[in-house]
């Protein structure tokens, strides 16, 4: 920092360094430049023929007006010569960037930022990368030009209005090659920063010698203020915009031809590059202003005095405009019109709407006079101080980081005054005195000031107080100014060695600081904790540390940080919402509701005639969503929850999340028609939201309209082919339809689902069920085993695998499966029935079968099938009295079942025959009980949203279904499968019914044996 201060003090205290330091150049020097001029002539020196093959234009005072002499700077074939009246001439050849300089800069950048490749996605990276669907290849490319930087449609009021499609395109390319591997994103930023440094070196060589240009570039490469722009992935916007920014400026410097003629190709190229820079970040358009300054004060060599005199003479009509002035005006007018066109297009893109910011983002923006003006002006020296002394850097400067300057007596106003005095002195001397040094200072100030204007808050408010990454381009001017001052210092013999030592120390210190600062961006926890070390008065930092801990499920520790945020900023709605959400995660419902109610009470009150949406951040409206989601768990408060959703919608009619959550609640309240209307309204706001189409499909399932549901599932998949829930549930719907023609597509969707969710057993299970439907028993067995492997103890898979074995005559294989099923689920009635059936009919184990049926009646004394089968066991054991009593009890439970009447009649007949002394023949050693089919379906297709942290599309719980396969039906209709049947399947069912009746007849023969 001492080097910085010494340089600036030297420039301010020695104004002669800004003008011609060498006096009148000797004729030998003039001849080296190819100039000659009569000693006593008042005309401009002439460029001799043969110098670079061109002749410079000669201009005298008479061309503009009497007594007016205009200096001239010409650039011919890489040679820059400036000529002022009375033979004052400067000459410097613009050197090309050598490969050694390129390698040096690349090496320095790699040393400084290589450790950044170990960092993850933090802070704004989460919204811009992890949560941004525009990065996914499945998202149409045109969406990049319709949405903002964060993936939100520009038409929505909650959009940040930051239109940077080219930057998002580079993120999409990263995703295409490395998906979400953060190292490749950071590596791309490193490469772009190195490219910017190389182009910046070329720009510096327009104004400085080779050595000073390299110093400026090295200082720019290692400056710690750049860590947010380079190490933070979202800083890609600054990096990419800077590439086009500098390229546009370099192109414009080539727009001046012989005799001050216009070379249009570089100008058109400049406009194209400016447009590209603006599509990377908005501040790219400010390079036009720098081109203006360059054209007037460097290319044409005007000083403020000469420019004023020229304008006065023209206005007073004392002289005519020469051709070279007209050509200059044409260039400037073309630049102005192009800029105006870009601004108009930009305004159309944001639909003439400014983004909505709250007082928490930028407290000064909503403050009254004079606090607003004093604070915004104080931010200028504060940003300059960060360039001078980047020792205390912070990722977030919002909220209470910079207290408001509310009075002119505030001591911080002294810094503002000093800043303006220094800036005024530099501007004054650079515009007053002709010379190369003045031009360097003027261009440095232009690079510092003009790109910073959009972020200065002076003309329109922005969503932050200070942002280090927006200093990336302004630091170019700062480094140029420091390098120029360092060059002047080294010109003094007694300071030369000291200046080199100071420079080495400065570069080394900045390199170490940059490397150390990169580690702060390793994770969100380390980043926000580093911010708290600098500033403990920013509630947002306390909240963000809490979020980082919350993501690690450390809720208790996170709660402490959230509570501290409410203490630092008691009116922070978001902090109270975070406290409520954390209490809910800790199952402290009462405390959570109290926190939400407090946050709700802090919401701005409705002002008649003023649009509510413009005064509240969209994420703050989530307090209604969170509170409604909390109380809807209580069945008696569903109407209250619905009222909260409707209140949020009334405050912001485009609040999509409120429609989504209300639609779910209406489904829960058994009001599917109203739920359908809610989802349709949400789709009007966002027709490209696959989650909304999915949820609407769920509504149609509730409305018993499977064809319409399938249509909406397909619509969701058209938008997002990898929508996991739509894939799974549409496949399930196809399977349940019973249409054999839909089974191949259902299988394809289940296969896609298991490819994305290999650890979800439900996908493999349903593939097994499809195979059973298609009579592909070997494939069905394999899928069922895979499902059990992924989820040991999976009830439906175990039972249906056992059923598959039983149906295919592999009862011995079914028994161990049933044993495992009953080990995990001892109260599984259907498993007990099937096991008892196998034990009785195949293993001849009457005792084991009896234990199964008795266990069923312990679980459910009214289970007809289990009780009937126990009656058969009694008969097998020759316990006719028990069998008769058992069947009588069963008949009382199911008086309409004809087969029980018949069986009871048979037993009573046998008892009567036994009473008459007639011998009772032994029945057959086996008795066939009724066999159970597979388990009935337990659909879980509904979406259910978790409590939102921010406005986002609602998801649904992961599917856990147990759909049935075709199986033999019991006579009482138990486990009957409801679906549309083809003629072939109807015949199959008839065969199964005939088989079931045949079994009944077999049982009756057992009971009726004499």
């Amino acid at each position: 920092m001492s080097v910085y201060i010494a340089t600036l003090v030297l420039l301010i205290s020695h104004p002669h360094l800004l003008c011609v330091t060498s006096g009148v150049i000797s004729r030998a020097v003039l001849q080296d430049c190819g100039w000659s001029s009569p000693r006593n002539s008042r005309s401009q020196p002439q460029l001799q023929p043969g110098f670079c093959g061109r002749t410079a234009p000669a201009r005298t005072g008479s061309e503009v007006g009497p007594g007016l002499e205009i200096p001239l700077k010409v650039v011919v074939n890489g040679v820059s010569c400036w000529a002022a009246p009375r033979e004052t001439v400067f000459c410097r050849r613009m050197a090309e960037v050598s490969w050694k300089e390129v390698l040096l800069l690349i090496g320095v950048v790699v040393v400084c930022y290589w450790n950044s490749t170990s960092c993850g996605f933090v802070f704004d990276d989460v919204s811009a990368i992890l949560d941004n669907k525009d990065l996914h290849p499945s998202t149409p490319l045109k969406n990049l030009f319709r949405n903002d930087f964060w993936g939100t449609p520009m038409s929505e009021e909650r959009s940040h209005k930051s239109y940077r499609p080219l930057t998002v395109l580079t993120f999409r390319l990263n995703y295409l090659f490395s998906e979400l591997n953060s190292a490749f994103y950071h590596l791309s930023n490193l490469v772009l920063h190195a490219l910017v440094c190389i182009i910046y070196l070329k720009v510096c060589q327009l104004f400085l010698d080779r050595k000073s240009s390299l110093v400026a570039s090295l200082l720019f490469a290692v400056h710690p203020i750049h860590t947010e722009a380079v190490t933070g992935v979202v800083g890609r916007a600054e990096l990419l915009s800077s590439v086009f920014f500098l390229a546009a400026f370099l192109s414009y410097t080539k727009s001046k031809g012989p005799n001050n003629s216009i070379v249009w190709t570089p100008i058109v190229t400049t406009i194209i590059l400016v447009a590209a820079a603006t599509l990377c970040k908005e501040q790219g358009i400010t390079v036009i202003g720098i081109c203006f300054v360059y054209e007037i004060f460097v290319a044409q060599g005007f000083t403020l005095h000469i420019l004023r005199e020229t304008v006065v003479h023209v206005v007073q009509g004392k002289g005519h405009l020469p051709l070279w002035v007209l050509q200059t005006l044409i260039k400037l007018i073309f630049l102005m019109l192009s800029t105006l066109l870009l601004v108009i297009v930009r305004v159309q893109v944001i639909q003439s709407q400014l983004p909505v910011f709250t007082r928490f983002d930028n407290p000064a923006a909503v403050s009254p006079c004079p606090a607003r003006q004093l604070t915004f002006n104080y931010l200028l020296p504060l940003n300059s101080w960060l360039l001078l002394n980047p020792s205390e850097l912070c990722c977030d400067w919002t909220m209470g980081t910079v207290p408001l300057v509310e009075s002119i007596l505030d001591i911080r106003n002294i810094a503002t005054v000093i800043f303006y005095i220094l800036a005024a002195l530099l501007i004054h001397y650079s515009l007053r005195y002709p010379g190369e040094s003045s031009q360097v200072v003027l261009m440095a100030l232009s690079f510092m000031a003009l790109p910073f204007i959009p972020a200065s808050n002076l003309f329109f408010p922005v969503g932050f107080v200070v942002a280090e990454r927006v200093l990336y381009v302004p630091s170019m001017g700062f480094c140029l100014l420091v390098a120029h001052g360092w060059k002047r210092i080294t010109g003094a013999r007694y300071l030369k060695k000291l200046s080199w030592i100071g420079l080495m120390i400065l570069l080394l210190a900045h390199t170490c600081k940059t490397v150390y600062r990169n580690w702060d961006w390793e994770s969100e926890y380390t980043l926000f904790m580093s911010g708290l070390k600098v500033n403990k008065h920013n509630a947002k930092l306390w909240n963000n540390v809490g979020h980082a801990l919350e993501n690690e499920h450390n809720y208790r520790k996170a709660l402490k940080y959230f509570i501290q945020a409410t203490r630092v900023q008691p009116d922070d709605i978001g902090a109270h919402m975070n406290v409520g959400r954390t209490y809910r995660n800790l199952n402290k419902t009462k405390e959570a509701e109290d926190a939400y109610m407090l946050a709700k009470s802090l919401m701005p009150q409705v002002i008649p005639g003023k649009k509510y949406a413009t005064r509240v951040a969209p994420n703050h409206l989530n307090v209604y969503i969170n509170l409604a989601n909390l109380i809807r768990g209580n069945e008696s408060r569903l109407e209250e929850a619905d009222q909260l959703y409707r209140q949020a919608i009334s405050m912001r009619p485009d609040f999509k999340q409120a429609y989504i959550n209300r639609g779910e609640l209406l489904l829960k309240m058994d009001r599917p028609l109203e739920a359908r209307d809610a989802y349709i309204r949400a789709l009007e706001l966002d027709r490209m939201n696959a989650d909304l189409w999915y949820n609407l499909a769920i509504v149609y399932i509730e409305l018993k309209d499977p064809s319409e549901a399938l249509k909406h599932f397909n619509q969701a998949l058209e938008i997002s082919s990898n929508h996991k829930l739509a894939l799974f549930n549409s496949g399930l719907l196809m399977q349940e339809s019973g249409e054999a023609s839909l089974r191949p597509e259902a299988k394809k969707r289940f296969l896609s689902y298991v490819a994305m969710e290999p650890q979800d057993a439900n996908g493999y299970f349903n593939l097994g069920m499809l195979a059973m439907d298609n009579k592909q028993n070997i494939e069905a067995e394999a899928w069922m085993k895979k499902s059990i492997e992924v989820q040991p103890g999976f009830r439906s898979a175990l039972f249906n695998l056992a059923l598959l074995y039983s149906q295919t005559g592999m009862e011995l294989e079914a028994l161990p499966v049933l044993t495992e099923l009953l080990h995990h689920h001892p109260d599984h009635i259907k498993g007990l029935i099937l096991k008892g059936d196998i034990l009785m009919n195949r293993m001849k184990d009457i005792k084991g079968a009896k234990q199964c049926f008795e266990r069923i009646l312990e679980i459910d004394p009214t289970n007809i099938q289990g009780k009937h089968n126990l009656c058969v066991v009694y008969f097998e054991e020759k316990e006719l009295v028990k069998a008769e009593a058992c069947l009588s009890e069963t008949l009382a439970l199911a008086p309409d079942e004809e087969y029980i009447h018949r069986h009871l009649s048979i037993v009573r007949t046998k008892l009567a025959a036994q009473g008459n002394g007639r011998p009772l023949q032994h029945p057959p050693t086996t008795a066939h009980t009724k066999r159970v089919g597979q388990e009935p379906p337990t659909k879980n297709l509904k979406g259910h949203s978790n409590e939102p942290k921010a406005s986002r599309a609602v998801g649904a719980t992961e599917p856990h279904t147990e759909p049935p396969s075709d199986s033999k039906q019991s006579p009482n209709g138990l486990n009957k499968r409801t679906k549309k049947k083809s003629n072939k399947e109807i015949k199959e069912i008839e065969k199964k019914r005939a088989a079931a009746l045949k079994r009944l007849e077999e049982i009756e023969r057992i009971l009726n044996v004499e």
Side-chain angles (χ1 to χ4, degrees), residues 2-3 498-512:
S2 59
V3 175
L498 187 62
S499 65
W500 275 103
I501 294 174
L503 178 64
M504 293 299 104
I505 293 175
L506 181 65
L507 292 175
L508 181 61
H510 276 6
T511 299
C512 294

Side-chain angles (χ1 to χ4, degrees), residues 826-840:
D827 295 340
H828 197 282
I829 291 178
K830 299 180 185 67
L832 288 167
I833 291 176
L834 184 56
K835 184 177 181 181
D837 181 29
I838 294 174
L839 289 174
M840 230 180 132

Side-chain angles (χ1 to χ4, degrees), residues 148 152-162 354-356:
D148 65 14
T152 305
M154 294 291 291
S155 58
E156 295 189 12
E157 286 191 61
R158 64 188 180 93
S159 169
H160 198 272
K161 309 302 180 185
S162 47
L354 289 176
V356 177

